[in-house]
Amino acid sequence: MKTISCMNIDGSLLRAFGAEDKSYKKGELVYREDDHAMYYFQIEEGKVKLNNYDENGKEFIHNILAKNQSFGDSMLFLEKAYPMNAVCLLPSEIIRVPKDNFLELLKEHPHLSVSMNACLSHRLYFKAIMIQSMASQSPVSRLKGLMDYLKSYHDGECGQAFNVELTRQQIASLTGLRVETVIRALKKMEKENILSLESRKILY
C-alpha cells in the first residue's frame, strides 16, 4: 500500500476530540505566516494553497491541497510560527482540532501517531527530492521534481496518470520559472512521453 504525505483521519473521531467544522470563502486565509500553530486542519471540501511572498512581492506556492488532505500538522510538534500562509482557492469546508486535543488523540490512538510519523517522513523525503530538482537549471527537471512531489500526496491507482490540477501560472510560482518557460517545458515533456496534455489538463 502506498504511503501518502497527508493524514486523513475519520471526521467522527476528530469531532470526538473537540474538532469544529469551519467554512471559508474563496480567498480567505485559514492562517497567516507568523501565526502561532494552534490547530490540526483537514479538508472536507475545497482547495487550499500554502504560499508566501518574497521581499519584492513575488508569490511562491509551496503546495496545493484538496479534499481529504491535511495541513499545518507538522508545526504542532514545534514551538514555531507558521512559515507560510494557508489560503482557500475555492469555498472550503475544513475540520480543525485544537493542538492539545490533537496531541491527546495521538496518545490515545498510537496507530495514528505511527501513521503520522510515516507521513511526515514521506513528506521530508519528497521535499528533499524536489529541492534537488529546483536547484537544477533544467526547466524539465524542475517540473519533474514538482510533479513527483505533488503526486506523492495522492493515493492513486497504480499505473493511473496523475492529473496535475494546477494552472501554468501556479506551476511557475511553485518552480520559480516564467510562465512561458513552463509552457515550453511541458510541450517538450509531452514529446518525450513524460506526460500528456489534454486540452488544459496535465496528466503525469
Side-chain angles (χ1 to χ4, degrees):
M1 184 173 69
K2 181 182 175 186
T3 302
I4 60 173
S5 307
C6 284
M7 292 293 287
N8 179 25
I9 301 172
D10 182 80
S12 60
L13 180 58
L14 293 177
R15 292 180 185 94
F17 280 82
E20 58 180 336
D21 297 274
K22 295 280 291 181
S23 297
Y24 295 86
K25 298 175 182 177
K26 179 180 178 180
E28 189 173 356
L29 282 162
V30 179
Y31 57 73
R32 189 184 304 274
E33 183 179 357
D34 293 329
D35 282 352
H36 186 66
M38 297 179 64
Y39 298 95
Y40 166 85
F41 298 95
Q42 189 167 291
I43 303 170
E44 290 276 271
E45 294 290 342
K47 192 174 288 187
V48 174
K49 71 175 175 180
L50 306 180
N51 76 342
N52 55 15
Y53 298 88
D54 67 16
E55 62 274 11
N56 298 315
K58 182 180 178 181
E59 181 184 32
F60 183 80
I61 299 175
H62 296 267
N63 211 333
I64 294 179
L65 303 168
K67 184 175 180 178
N68 295 331
Q69 295 186 304
S70 60
F71 61 97
D73 35 345
S74 59
M75 300 304 299
L76 297 178
F77 304 96
L78 302 171
E79 292 299 325
K80 301 284 186 182
Y82 291 116
M84 61 194 77
N85 308 301
V87 187
C88 292
L89 290 173
L90 299 172
S92 300
E93 299 294 327
I94 298 174
I95 301 177
R96 70 179 194 181
V97 187
K99 175 179 177 177
D100 290 344
N101 299 41
F102 185 72
L103 296 179
E104 186 62 32
L105 184 157
L106 295 182
K107 287 179 183 178
E108 294 192 23
H109 298 271
H111 68 285
L112 291 177
S113 185
V114 172
S115 295
M116 174 154 279
N117 287 336
C119 290
L120 294 177
S121 296
H122 198 68
R123 280 188 205 176
L124 288 172
Y125 172 77
F126 276 95
K127 191 76 169 180
I129 297 297
M130 191 179 78
I131 289 171
Q132 290 175 4
S133 300
M134 292 303 108
S136 172
Q137 295 301 309
S138 165
V140 169
S141 294
R142 290 195 186 191
L143 294 189
K144 278 178 57 53
L146 169 66
M147 291 178 192
D148 285 338
Y149 177 62
L150 296 176
K151 193 172 183 176
S152 77
Y153 275 70
H154 296 264
D155 192 15
E157 294 296 325
C158 184
Q160 184 182 45
F162 168 60
N163 183 13
V164 182
E165 296 183 356
L166 299 174
T167 66
R168 274 59 173 173
Q169 180 60 63
Q170 288 169 337
I171 292 172
S173 295
L174 279 158
T175 57
L177 298 169
R178 293 171 57 87
V179 176
E180 296 81 2
T181 304
V182 169
I183 292 170
R184 287 196 298 270
L186 288 173
K187 289 178 179 176
K188 182 178 180 182
M189 293 170 76
E190 182 180 36
K191 287 180 181 178
E192 295 175 357
N193 295 317
I194 297 172
L195 51 75
S196 60
L197 302 175
E198 296 181 4
S199 184
R200 298 295 295 172
K201 285 185 177 181
I202 303 169
L203 302 176
Y204 180 66

